[in-house]
Amino acid sequence: LKVHKGVRLLTHFYAFIFFADWEQDLWSKRFVRDHLRYVDEIMCAAARVIEAVREHARQNKQHNASHAEGIYDALHVRRGDFQFQYPPTQLPGEKLYELSKGELTEGATLYIATDERNKDFFGMFKKYYDVVFLDDFISKAIPDVNSNYYGMIDQLVAYKSRVFYGTWWSTLSGYVNRMRGYYIAKHKLEGYKDGTMKSWYFTPEERRQQMRSYIPVRFPIYCREFPISWRDIDFNVDDIH
């Protein structure tokens, strides 16, 4: 394999491996889905946080679906080093609210996964939604979990949301959407037939709707995940068994 200047191999496995046999291709995608995951400690910690978020949502009387079913929406707002790497993502909280309010439901429980330490940044969201962060559940749900796991736990909590807004260029947001794709396909939820989901990006404008229609693998690859990694990958399972 020759690596030419400008080629980035740190990207999705399904984007640079081609199988001549389509059944082997689907097998490899199932193998990754079923066996390449976070260690049990992280998965179990995230499950406890998800249950805590849902229990919190059930106490939210401002929104019927939250109150009745423990449903919540989620955002991933990447700050930190992104302000230098990808300046277009560095928008004020008020602008992020304006960009996402069309798909979010006022009064609903909203989980925000973020590396922003100043939670006042999300003041506009707090005015219109029942906002919660991982910090709100650490002492109750995961008091003894290694803090290095918090980003991965944020990912796992975010993917179980009803609606998700992510940060373009962030592989954390990308993997949230791949896990959402697995979940939607497994439970045959809205979008499972065409590989779409209720996920959006804040910016850039031309990328906001990326997850709302089927898009094959294409450049730029690492900025998002593609439905070829989860759509119809169980197609020939019955034939195998």
Side-chain angles (χ1 to χ4, degrees):
L1 175 65
K2 291 185 177 180
V3 180
H4 299 286
K5 184 177 180 181
V7 173
R8 178 187 173 108
L9 291 180
L10 183 60
T11 189
H12 316 318
F13 72 97
Y14 54 84
F16 64 90
I17 299 176
F18 175 77
F19 292 89
D21 185 334
W22 64 268
E23 290 183 311
Q24 291 181 349
D25 177 70
L26 297 186
W27 180 90
S28 73
K29 291 168 182 172
R30 290 195 298 270
F31 182 88
V32 170
R33 178 194 64 191
D34 298 339
H35 299 287
L36 266 62
R37 62 170 178 81
Y38 295 133
V39 296
D40 288 348
E41 182 179 0
I42 296 174
M43 300 296 289
C44 293
R48 295 196 297 274
V49 176
I50 290 169
E51 181 51 38
V53 173
R54 286 175 171 166
E55 184 56 36
H56 174 92
R58 293 185 188 102
Q59 308 306 314
N60 178 10
K61 296 182 180 179
Q62 301 178 67
H63 181 239
N64 289 336
S66 296
H67 182 60
E69 305 172 50
I71 289 174
Y72 61 93
D73 296 328
L75 316 176
H76 171 230
V77 179
R78 176 74 179 272
R79 303 277 293 164
D81 60 324
F82 260 40
Q83 63 186 311
F84 307 108
Q85 290 181 282
Y86 306 108
T89 66
Q90 297 310 295
L91 302 173
E94 293 76 11
K95 181 62 174 178
L96 294 177
Y97 164 75
E98 289 295 329
L99 290 170
S100 58
K101 68 179 183 180
E103 305 302 334
L104 299 177
T105 303
E106 188 169 330
T109 297
L110 179 64
Y111 181 89
I112 301 180
T114 185
D115 58 351
E116 174 59 61
R117 296 183 178 182
N118 178 16
K119 298 305 189 288
D120 291 338
F121 176 85
F122 299 100
M124 183 62 77
F125 287 96
K126 292 178 181 179
K127 287 178 62 176
Y128 295 99
Y129 309 107
D130 173 36
V131 172
V132 293
F133 303 92
L134 180 61
D135 293 350
D136 298 320
F137 305 99
I138 290 174
S139 61
K140 176 183 177 181
I142 53 171
D144 302 317
V145 169
N146 188 329
S147 61
N148 290 317
Y149 294 162
Y150 288 172
M152 292 168 274
I153 293 171
D154 257 345
Q155 257 185 335
L156 291 163
V157 178
Y159 101 80
K160 284 296 186 72
S161 61
R162 180 186 68 92
V163 167
F164 175 68
Y165 265 86
T167 299
W168 185 254
W169 289 295
S170 168
T171 52
L172 191 152
S173 284
Y175 189 47
V176 167
N177 280 327
R178 173 139 59 97
M179 289 190 289
R180 285 170 68 76
Y182 291 151
Y183 187 80
I184 289 168
K186 178 180 179 180
H187 297 282
K188 291 182 169 53
L189 303 179
E190 180 183 337
Y192 84 95
K193 289 184 178 181
D194 55 8
T196 61
M197 59 187 66
K198 291 182 177 180
S199 291
W200 288 264
Y201 287 100
F202 293 108
T203 189
E205 176 61 33
E206 66 273 16
R207 307 295 187 186
R208 287 171 46 76
Q209 302 282 338
Q210 285 280 300
M211 308 309 296
R212 298 297 294 151
S213 61
Y214 181 90
I215 296 177
V217 175
R218 66 187 186 192
F219 291 109
I221 296 174
Y222 77 94
C223 300
R224 56 156 293 173
E225 296 272 356
F226 295 87
I228 195 173
S229 65
W230 68 79
R231 178 178 175 267
D232 281 345
I233 63 174
D234 289 308
F235 177 74
N236 65 329
V237 169
D238 290 338
D239 294 339
I240 295 173
H241 295 298

